[in-house]
């Protein structure tokens, strides 16, 4: 029987001890030593070596400290045979790309307890195009129970050695996000992958606005490795705000007045299930549910800058981005039409806000970003920023829109981002100001966001890289009269702000401070993901 012959070859190769490779296993053919990566691989300690069927080939498989490598076993041929060299090309996967391992069995009706062992299945995280991740499998076929058990236990030991990978997660699910698809997204796409990775979950359905804030204020989080939000930008921002508030409370700080906040204690995962998904899109480079889930499973963590929004010295909230003027009024209009579908109310609000386009008369003060080493070192040590008056700059006039963004703010309508020159953790914010101009010119500016052209190449648009911003309306000309017909954008004596997709109404000056690397988000570095190597034709 073919399988019996294969088992005999396994035992002959391993010499009866599968834990240790034979002496000749340490020798790597010189043909493989053609790159620094392969030279480094040659120096790795080999953990196991054996024969498995991969695809349709019997392969010599070597498990080292960093990678799993295999090469098809071919009959001996004359040296220099190019066809032989091509068939025997080595393939490999890095162990850091494996997130689960299972024994592969064939089940039948007559077998009640356990099916026939076929081998081992590895579940792997692979990178696709455009920053997307996907899960794939690699089957190592061998019918020997003892042989597979040794390899299975070794893989389990390796997976347990990745300290950043979560084992238990608190899930916050907003069933009202977008088209009420968040529940379906979680249970059909996210939960199966989390279970496959052996991650325990505790799910709470958010029932009202502010539910996450009240829950995380008192919830016991000691047994969790992270918090995951399934929803849109508003839900994700609320959870981030709640985690940061809890961190300040645990540190014994006064939450009304925070100059130097402490970092959130647990990382936050973002599963995009909203209408725009700006936060998840900016973090992962794509609003893709499987990609976001795999980042969480693999424990990819990115430290991200966060802003504090305050008025009259009192903290309003933590956030990542804000828009005042046109952006705030558009959101205020959209909130009045929640009965519409997300896309309909967004388009309707944009059209209506453009029809009633009106500039805000205000004063904007900002502290330019200082990238000098001594300033950055003081900031890293938690020293407050200098309040010297000569460092602040001030502009005033009529402004159609003011954007303050600590993240790129990628979304479907702005594939390059609303602030394309900003990064997740470069210690600065983008201040983008659109001064008063004609409606056609302002519309041209908005349309540029959807293209690859420079959306800021207009005489009325100004951009700054800043650390702090103060937006002070100089009078109430920007506030609609509550008795005015069809007034739908703001409460009396309040100005609407769009903070991460949430409406915030403030009557006076708003002070925005940037706090570098204040929260950990499951997302990982794009450079680290791009460097991930998977060279196999079996997937």
């Amino acid at each position: 029987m073919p399988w019996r012959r294969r088992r005999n070859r396994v035992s002959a190769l391993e010499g009866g001890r599968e834990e240790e490779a034979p002496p000749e296993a340490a020798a790597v053919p010189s043909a493989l030593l053609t790159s620094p990566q392969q030279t480094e691989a040659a120096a790795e300690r080999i953990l196991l070596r054996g024969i498995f069927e991969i695809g349709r080939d019997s392969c010599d498989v070597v498990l080292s400290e960093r990678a799993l490598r295999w090469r098809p076993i071919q009959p001996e041929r004359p040296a220099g045979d190019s066809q032989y060299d091509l068939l025997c090309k080595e393939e490999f996967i890095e162990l850091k790309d494996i997130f689960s391992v299972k024994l592969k069995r064939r089940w039948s009706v007559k077998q009640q307890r356990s099916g026939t062992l076929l081998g081992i299945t590895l579940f792997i995280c692979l990178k696709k195009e455009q920053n997307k991740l996907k899960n794939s499998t690699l089957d190592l076929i061998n019918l020997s129970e003892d042989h597979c058990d040794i390899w299975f236990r070794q893989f389990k030991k390796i997976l347990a050695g990745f300290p950043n990978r979560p084992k238990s997660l608190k899930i916050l699910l907003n069933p009202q996000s977008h088209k009420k698809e968040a529940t379906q997204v979680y249970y059909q796409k996210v939960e199966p992958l989390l279970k496959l990775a052996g991650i325990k979950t505790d799910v709470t359905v958010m029932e009202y606005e502010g539910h996450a804030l009240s829950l995380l204020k008192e919830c016991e989080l000691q047994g969790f490795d992270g918090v995951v939000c399934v929803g849109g930008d508003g839900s994700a921002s609320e959870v981030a705000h709640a985690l940061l508030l809890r961190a300040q409370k645990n540190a014994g700080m006064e939450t009304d007045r925070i100059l130097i906040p402490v970092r959130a204690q647990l990382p936050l995962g973002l599963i995009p299930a909203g209408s725009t998904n700006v936060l998840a899109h900016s973090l992962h480079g794509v609003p893709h549910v499987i990609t976001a889930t795999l980042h969480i499973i693999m424990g990819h963590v990115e430290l991200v800058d966060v802003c504090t929004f305050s008025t009259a010295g009192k903290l309003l909230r933590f956030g990542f981005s804000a828009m005042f003027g046109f952006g705030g009024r558009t959101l205020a209009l959209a909130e009045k039409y929640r009965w519409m579908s997300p896309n309909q109310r967004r388009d309707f609000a944009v059209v209506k806000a453009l029809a009633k386009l009106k500039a805000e008369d205000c004063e904007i003060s900002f502290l330019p970003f200082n990238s000098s080493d001594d300033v950055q070192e003081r900031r890293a040590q938690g020293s407050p920023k200098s309040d010297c008056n000569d460092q602040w700059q001030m502009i005033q006039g009529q402004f159609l829109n003011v954007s303050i963004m600590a993240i790129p703010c990628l979304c479907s309508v702005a594939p390059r981002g609303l602030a394309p020159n900003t990064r997740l953790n470069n210690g600065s914010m983008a201040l983008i100001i659109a001064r008063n101009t004609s409606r056609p010119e302002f519309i041209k500016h908005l349309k540029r966001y959807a293209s690859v052209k420079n959306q800021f190449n207009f005489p009325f648009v100004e951009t700054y890289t800043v650390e702090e911003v103060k937006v002070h309306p100089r009078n109430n000309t920007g506030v609609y009269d509550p008795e005015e017909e069809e007034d739908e954008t703001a409460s009396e004596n309040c100005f609407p702000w769009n903070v991460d997709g949430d409406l915030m109404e403030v009557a006076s000056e708003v002070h925005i401070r940037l706090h570098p690397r204040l929260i950990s988000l499951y997302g990982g570095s794009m450079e680290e993901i791009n460097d991930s190597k998977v060279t196999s034709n079996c997937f």
Side-chain angles (χ1 to χ4, degrees):
M1 295 288 292
W3 290 110
R4 185 174 303 166
R5 289 199 299 271
R6 186 173 294 116
R7 288 202 299 273
N8 292 337
R9 293 171 70 187
V10 170
S11 59
L13 177 61
E14 297 180 350
R17 286 200 61 183
E18 293 166 331
E19 297 92 337
E20 299 179 0
E24 61 269 20
V28 179
S30 58
L32 295 178
L33 305 181
T34 58
S35 68
Q37 291 83 1
Q38 291 170 327
T39 304
E40 183 180 354
E44 291 180 23
R45 184 169 66 92
I46 293 177
L47 304 176
L48 291 173
R49 185 174 184 179
I51 293 177
F52 289 92
E53 182 177 315
I54 301 178
R56 297 183 178 180
D57 297 321
S58 292
C59 297
D60 179 13
V61 183
V62 177
L63 177 63
S64 65
E65 293 177 312
R66 296 186 181 181
L68 179 75
R69 303 173 185 274
W70 64 94
R71 179 189 293 271
I73 299 174
Q74 300 289 338
E76 292 187 6
R77 298 191 180 189
D81 190 326
S82 59
Q83 184 178 4
Y84 171 75
D85 294 338
L86 180 62
L87 291 173
C88 290
K89 182 179 180 181
E90 182 185 71
E91 298 177 283
F92 71 95
I93 57 173
E94 297 188 34
L95 299 185
K96 67 182 180 65
D97 296 324
I98 302 172
F99 67 88
S100 185
V101 57
K102 304 289 182 183
L103 290 174
K104 183 179 180 66
R105 297 183 182 274
R106 179 189 291 120
W107 298 86
S108 67
V109 177
K110 296 180 180 180
Q111 294 171 317
Q112 297 180 355
R113 292 190 176 181
S114 62
T116 302
L117 179 69
L118 298 179
I120 298 171
T121 298
L122 302 177
F123 296 87
I124 306 162
C125 174
L126 301 179
K127 184 182 181 298
K128 297 174 65 179
E129 69 285 352
Q130 298 177 344
N131 295 320
K132 284 186 179 180
L133 302 181
K134 74 171 184 178
N135 58 301
S136 187
T137 58
L138 177 67
D139 290 329
L140 307 177
I141 303 300
N142 189 299
L143 301 186
S144 170
E145 290 272 2
D146 293 338
H147 180 63
C148 289
D149 181 66
I150 291 174
W151 281 72
F152 178 75
R153 286 189 281 110
Q154 184 65 56
F155 278 120
K156 295 290 285 186
K157 182 179 178 181
I158 290 170
L159 293 180
F162 292 104
N164 291 334
R165 297 188 180 180
K167 297 177 176 61
S168 180
L169 295 171
K170 178 66 181 178
I171 310 293
L172 299 177
L173 191 156
N174 182 2
Q176 302 299 320
S177 291
H178 193 37
K179 299 178 181 178
K180 301 184 179 180
E181 297 173 345
T183 303
Q184 180 181 1
V185 164
Y186 176 74
Y187 286 107
Q188 291 188 3
K189 296 183 178 181
V190 180
E191 187 185 55
L193 281 175
L194 297 181
K195 284 185 175 180
L196 183 61
I199 298 175
K200 298 179 181 179
T201 58
D202 182 79
V203 181
T204 297
V205 177
M206 291 187 278
E207 299 175 354
Y208 54 88
E209 186 177 351
H211 189 182
L213 185 61
S214 60
L215 177 70
L216 293 177
K217 191 174 183 180
E218 304 294 340
C219 177
E220 179 57 56
L221 297 176
Q222 188 173 359
F224 297 106
D225 300 312
V227 177
V228 175
C229 175
V230 185
D233 290 320
S235 303
S237 180
E238 180 183 335
V239 175
H241 173 63
L243 284 174
L244 286 165
L245 274 184
R246 173 154 182 162
Q248 313 317 308
K249 180 181 177 181
N250 292 345
M253 299 180 64
E254 174 60 48
T255 55
D256 280 344
R257 299 176 183 273
I258 300 176
L259 290 178
I260 308 173
V262 298
R263 184 177 297 170
Q265 296 162 333
L266 290 178
L268 171 61
L270 307 177
I271 303 296
S275 55
T276 54
N277 303 304
V278 167
L279 290 176
H281 199 156
S282 299
L283 180 64
H284 309 308
V286 61
H288 188 239
V289 171
I290 300 300
T291 296
T293 306
L294 287 173
H295 278 306
I296 295 170
I297 290 172
M298 304 301 288
H300 299 154
V301 176
E302 184 85 4
L303 284 169
V304 178
D305 299 342
V306 181
C307 306
T308 51
F309 297 86
S310 308
T311 185
K314 183 177 180 180
L315 176 70
L316 295 172
R317 63 176 295 160
F318 291 93
F320 301 93
S321 64
M323 286 187 286
F324 174 74
F326 175 78
R329 291 185 178 184
T330 301
L331 179 61
L333 274 168
E335 289 296 311
K336 299 291 184 178
Y337 297 90
R338 297 291 296 184
W339 53 270
M340 290 184 178
S341 69
N343 291 336
Q344 283 181 328
R345 68 171 177 264
R346 181 191 64 193
D347 295 342
F348 175 80
V350 168
V351 171
K352 195 162 188 177
L354 285 173
K356 301 177 69 174
L357 188 63
K358 187 175 182 180
E360 308 284 4
D361 184 15
C362 59
E363 178 181 287
I364 301 174
S365 304
F366 59 91
L367 185 65
F369 174 63
N370 190 336
S371 60
S372 62
D373 294 337
D374 57 338
V375 172
Q376 293 304 311
E377 183 178 355
R378 289 200 305 271
R379 295 179 65 194
Q381 295 173 353
S383 301
K385 303 179 182 66
S386 172
D387 287 329
C388 297
N389 292 330
D390 58 350
Q391 291 184 335
W392 284 82
Q393 297 183 20
M394 189 265 290
I395 55 177
Q396 57 187 1
Q398 301 282 325
F399 305 108
L400 290 176
N401 191 68
V402 180
S403 299
I404 305 104
M405 298 177 174
I407 61 175
C409 292
L410 278 66
C411 59
S412 59
V413 296
R416 293 182 63 245
L418 299 175
N421 296 326
T422 306
R423 298 295 177 263
L424 294 172
N425 51 20
N426 61 352
S428 65
M429 301 181 291
L431 171 62
I432 304 166
I433 298 171
R435 290 183 178 269
N436 195 16
T437 187
S438 65
R439 184 180 292 106
E441 286 297 304
F442 185 67
I443 292 175
K444 287 181 183 179
H445 163 59
L446 297 180
K447 286 184 175 180
R448 285 275 184 94
Y449 281 103
S451 70
V452 296
K453 297 179 180 179
N454 183 5
Q455 60 265 46
F456 308 131
N457 190 23
F458 292 92
F460 58 88
V461 177
E462 302 173 14
T463 61
Y464 305 89
T465 303
V466 301
E467 299 178 11
E468 293 186 45
V469 179
K470 296 178 182 178
V471 179
H472 176 68
R474 293 197 294 183
N475 53 48
N476 285 341
T477 59
V479 182
Y480 283 101
D481 184 345
E483 297 181 358
E484 181 180 348
E485 185 180 2
E486 296 185 357
D487 168 35
E488 296 161 327
T489 59
S491 301
E492 184 176 3
N493 299 324
C494 285
F495 293 85
W497 283 75
N498 181 339
V499 180
D500 298 331
D502 274 349
L503 180 63
M504 183 177 73
E505 296 183 342
V506 187
S508 57
E509 176 183 275
V510 175
H511 185 181
I512 304 100
R513 292 175 182 260
L514 183 85
H515 304 278
R517 299 169 177 260
L518 195 59
I519 192 170
S520 298
L521 300 183
Y522 284 115
S525 167
M526 288 297 110
E527 294 178 359
E528 177 183 347
I529 297 165
N530 291 336
D531 288 341
S532 177
K533 297 182 180 62
V534 179
T535 60
S536 173
N537 298 323
C538 300
F539 303 120

